Amino acid sequence: MSGPLHAVVVGSGIAGLTVALHAVQHGVQVTLVTKDVLEHANTRYAQGGIAGVMFDDDRAEDHIRDTLTAGAGLSDPEAVRVLVDEGPARIRELIDIGVAFDRGEDGAFVKGLEAAHSYPRILHSGGDATGTAIEKALVARLRASEVRVIEHAFLIDLIVSDGRVAGVELLVGDVPASTDRSVVRGVREGMHADAVVLATGGAGELYAHTTNPPVATGDGIAAALRAGAAVADLEFFQFHPTVLEGGGSALGESFLVSEAVRGEGATLIDESGRRFAFDAHTDGELAPRDVVARAIARQMERQDGHPVLLDATHLRPTPEETAAFLARRFPTIDAAVRERGLDWARQPIPVTPAAHYLMGGVVTDLDGRTSVAGLYAVGEVARTGVHGANRLASNSLLEGAVFGARAGDAIAADAASGAWPALHVAPVAPIEATPAADAPPFARAALQRLMWEDAGLVRDAEGLARAAGILAAWRATERTPAAEAEFEDENLLLVAQHLVAAAATRTASVGAHFRRDGAEPDETPRNRSDAAASAAIGADITPDAWSSAAPTEAVR
């Protein structure tokens, strides 16, 4: 190989930024491209925080167990072990570059508790602005590095030559106008690369209701599918339980209310004021996300579709004290709630579920390698095996940091060896559905409604078959995308087709994939993954011994 190794990183969230910073430290020439401005990634929207074993009285074994339990037994134990064991070092890296996690008066990190965690191991910054703090620090470090950055660069496709990735095809400078999304203002250009890293995030724009920003259109997954890479577990799409609808907001959009609010003691109540979450799980509001989201959906059905209520009014002795606490602990959420004309220190606020996080994606090994040589994937676009059927709260930022660092290191090692290894995993093509004769005209809003109704929080064979037929009809219609928004539509259609096919194939309910026509999962806490947890933790520490095992060494 002549000249310096060139790697293209597509995406600017915590995973992409971490890959780029680690790779450039090894002497790799890195170009980072992002479809919006550098700072506009899903990472900045993360409110709750980042999970990690950072306290004397916490244990890696407990974090592993919690992760496997939330994943409904389908997580890869080895990947979970890597996540938990390497997490503290990556968190210390973030601290070293300037992320100021919140500390108490004694100088110790403030502990946050979120759903399905057995210990309050969540670190947060700015109360509920953790993602923004991390994104800003990483972006500042990247701008001071030798990484070349190209903003407003949309990934049209991967360039594949002789069975390996050779570069990317981009649409650069195309900023869609609100009046006509089909007008092309950018230019197409190819870029050579010895390695390409997909760090493009998820696909929340598949659904009518989502916590994701508009850039989350499944671009990396779609490009990987077209390149012949293996993709798995797309049926596992997590729906966040508590999202505040736009209502009276000038923004007119939904807003996520972090489950850290429930971790502080807020409760879910129905229209009569009854706490209903315990009907579904003994952990109530702090059960795994899939359980809580379905409990809310069931309750909404009982009350004619009306939202349930999140009650934070009792978190302090008086309304004034509660208001001060909420403004201090959750400043971003507090501002959004009040912008909508609500006083959540005095009245419960209406919340509903919304599409939040995709557990599946491009299949990778523990270093980000995919089934196509030279192609890597990290963050939400990747299927590392960490999340299984349902992601544990605040493990997403941790996953981006841990596996982003590993991929950045692996690229340099693979180039030095000249081997460029790839996974031996064959891609799975979805079963072709018969195009529906009565399919409505395609529009992104129509796709989002279809996915919400037939492939959303609760699914069945009839709805999935209907969705498959309409998607097949839409994909059979010849279109020639030219503008960024049109390419996004094609990507969403392709990912939707694979998601629906995967959901139809998995006939049993598990984790975030719930079939109303299948056997309901056993949602008793901690009984779904004891075997997997024992395998990950080691034969010397069994579930019965978790309560008496010695704590791990403190990490500060």
Side-chain angles (χ1 to χ4, degrees):
M1 183 183 300
S2 60
L5 168 71
H6 181 219
V8 172
V9 178
V10 187
S12 59
I14 185 172
L17 296 171
T18 302
V19 170
L21 288 170
H22 272 252
V24 79
Q25 289 173 359
H26 291 291
V28 178
Q29 184 185 78
V30 179
T31 299
L32 187 144
V33 301
T34 182
K35 69 189 287 187
D36 204 303
V37 295
L38 191 59
E39 294 83 359
H40 194 186
N42 241 352
T43 293
R44 62 182 280 210
Y45 295 92
Q47 298 174 351
I50 186 167
V53 180
M54 300 288 286
F55 300 96
D56 291 345
D57 55 345
D58 194 11
R59 299 176 295 189
E61 288 74 16
D62 291 340
H63 191 183
I64 289 170
R65 179 200 63 195
D66 294 344
T67 300
L68 292 168
T69 299
L74 295 186
S75 302
D76 176 354
E78 186 180 0
V80 174
R81 168 60 78 180
V82 167
L83 177 81
V84 172
D85 283 354
E86 298 183 13
R90 300 288 77 80
I91 293 174
R92 287 197 301 268
E93 253 182 27
L94 293 173
I95 295 169
D96 290 343
I97 67 170
V99 179
F101 292 108
D102 295 339
R103 296 177 184 264
E105 294 181 358
D106 60 355
F109 292 125
V110 175
K111 299 179 179 181
L113 178 66
E114 295 187 16
H117 282 274
S118 60
Y119 179 93
R121 64 175 61 91
I122 316 302
L123 301 185
H124 46 78
S125 180
D128 57 0
T130 309
T132 297
I134 290 174
E135 183 77 9
K136 285 182 177 179
L138 286 170
V139 165
R141 178 56 60 95
L142 189 86
R143 290 198 186 279
S145 74
E146 296 181 357
V147 175
R148 178 191 179 200
V149 176
I150 304 177
E151 297 178 316
H152 298 295
F154 177 80
L155 175 66
I156 293 177
D157 243 331
L158 297 166
I159 300 172
V160 179
S161 177
D162 296 326
R164 63 156 287 127
V165 163
V168 293
E169 185 180 2
L170 303 171
L171 180 61
V172 181
D174 190 36
V175 182
S178 58
T179 54
D180 188 352
R181 297 167 67 245
S182 65
V183 175
V184 183
R185 293 169 175 78
V187 295
R188 294 177 71 148
E189 62 179 67
M191 181 180 295
H192 164 77
D194 301 293
V196 174
V197 184
L198 297 174
T200 50
E205 282 292 293
L206 282 172
Y207 291 98
H209 306 286
T210 180
T211 65
N212 290 187
V215 295
T217 52
D219 306 322
I221 295 173
L225 285 168
R226 289 189 292 266
V231 171
D233 293 350
L234 295 184
E235 68 270 33
F236 297 131
F237 211 116
Q238 186 177 82
F239 290 77
H240 198 284
T242 51
V243 173
L244 185 68
E245 288 296 324
S249 168
L251 298 175
E253 60 187 19
S254 300
F255 189 88
L256 185 148
V257 180
S258 170
E259 63 191 79
V261 177
R262 284 175 277 135
E264 293 287 353
T267 57
L268 292 167
I269 59 177
D270 62 17
E271 290 181 317
S272 69
R274 185 181 73 90
R275 290 178 69 180
F276 60 87
F278 286 96
D279 297 345
H281 197 286
T282 56
D283 286 345
E285 289 88 359
L286 294 181
R289 283 180 175 174
D290 60 307
V291 179
V292 178
R294 286 194 297 273
I296 291 174
R298 283 193 291 267
Q299 185 57 44
M300 288 176 62
E301 287 183 2
R302 297 187 187 106
Q303 50 193 51
D304 299 323
H306 298 160
V308 301
L309 300 171
L310 181 67
D311 186 4
T313 61
H314 57 276
L315 297 187
R316 291 296 182 271
T318 69
E320 291 76 19
E321 290 174 290
T322 299
F325 169 73
L326 292 171
R328 182 179 67 256
R329 174 65 178 87
F330 303 108
T332 308
I333 301 172
D334 185 71
V337 168
R338 294 186 181 282
E339 181 189 44
R340 288 155 173 78
L342 303 172
D343 184 353
W344 65 328
R346 290 174 171 79
Q347 293 179 330
I349 56 175
V351 292
T352 64
H356 183 57
Y357 191 92
L358 179 59
M359 275 75 70
V362 184
V363 179
T364 71
D365 67 6
L366 299 180
D367 295 307
R369 301 181 189 93
T370 73
S371 60
V372 176
L375 178 65
Y376 302 74
V378 292
E380 191 175 353
V381 72
R383 187 272 184 197
T384 62
V386 160
H387 305 305
N390 191 34
R391 176 174 67 82
L392 181 67
S394 289
N395 269 356
S396 58
L397 292 176
L398 190 69
E399 181 196 27
V402 168
F403 291 95
R406 291 177 71 92
D409 297 341
I411 290 169
D414 291 347
S417 71
W420 295 104
L423 291 177
H424 297 291
V425 181
V428 178
I431 299 173
E432 291 295 331
T434 301
D438 58 348
F442 172 76
R444 187 180 298 191
L447 168 65
Q448 292 168 334
R449 287 193 301 271
L450 176 71
M451 293 296 289
W452 182 260
E453 293 169 2
D454 291 337
L457 185 59
V458 180
R459 302 142 179 193
D460 59 33
E462 181 181 357
L464 291 169
R466 173 176 175 270
I470 293 175
L471 290 170
W474 283 340
R475 294 210 69 219
T477 301
E478 185 174 349
R479 289 176 294 273
T480 306
E484 180 176 306
E486 295 171 336
F487 283 113
E488 288 179 333
D489 287 343
E490 296 306 308
N491 290 338
L492 288 167
L493 273 172
L494 179 59
V495 175
Q497 184 182 42
H498 281 258
L499 188 158
V500 167
T505 301
R506 190 179 291 275
T507 57
S509 295
V510 59
H513 172 67
F514 190 84
R515 295 281 299 251
R516 65 164 57 90
D517 54 353
E520 293 201 11
D522 181 1
E523 292 174 346
T524 304
R526 298 199 179 102
N527 73 350
R528 294 185 291 180
S529 55
D530 284 354
S534 294
I537 295 170
D540 57 329
I541 301 180
T542 64
D544 291 338
W546 281 328
S547 61
S548 59
T552 57
E553 181 180 352
V555 181
R556 295 297 184 189

